[in-house]
Amino acid sequence: MVDGGLTLLACLILGIQLRFDSIKSIRDILPLVVVCMGITMVLAPWLAYVQASLFLLSPKQMQILVLISSLPSAMLGPVFATRFKCRGDIVAALAVISMLFSVLVVPLTFSLLRL
């Protein structure tokens, strides 16, 4: 119950902090989106796949490792950004964009890696 409540609370806080009025245009956050998604949702799964191949993991273990590494960034990022007086609105926008793109990126990663 606590785990499910934490997810609900993180999504609620994410929704509260999401403000697109402070972001002037998509060009403001486009480099951040590309870097963030490039590292967390493209580079990390490929590195996980290579390491799993080197360690001779089973196909099931490899699938789990690639799945976990290809998921979007942590949803508590906006909470920490706000707590430490950073740009919580931009972090919230990045979290939402990465969640939306993960619907396409995760299956694409699995199909490209033939898992």
Side-chain angles (χ1 to χ4, degrees), residues 60-86:
K60 186 176 185 178
Q61 291 171 328
M62 192 177 297
Q63 289 174 349
I64 292 169
L65 189 62
V66 169
L67 176 66
I68 290 172
S69 64
S70 66
L71 292 176
S73 303
M75 295 301 113
L76 289 177
V79 175
F80 296 130
T82 302
R83 168 69 177 95
F84 294 108
K85 296 178 178 49
C86 297

Side-chain angles (χ1 to χ4, degrees), residues 13-88:
I13 291 171
L14 180 67
I16 290 171
Q17 290 181 339
L18 188 61
R19 294 186 337 233
F20 286 110
D21 58 343
S22 64
I23 300 170
K24 305 281 188 272
S25 70
I26 252 337
R27 288 185 202 159
D28 292 343
I29 63 168
L30 188 61
L32 293 172
V33 169
V34 170
V35 169
C36 175
M37 288 185 54
I39 291 172
T40 61
M41 297 176 72
V42 176
L43 185 63
W46 289 89
L47 289 175
Y49 178 76
V50 169
Q51 289 176 345
S53 299
L54 291 175
F55 288 121
L56 303 173
L57 296 180
S58 71
K60 186 176 185 178
Q61 291 171 328
M62 192 177 297
Q63 289 174 349
I64 292 169
L65 189 62
V66 169
L67 176 66
I68 290 172
S69 64
S70 66
L71 292 176
S73 303
M75 295 301 113
L76 289 177
V79 175
F80 296 130
T82 302
R83 168 69 177 95
F84 294 108
K85 296 178 178 49
C86 297
R87 295 289 307 265

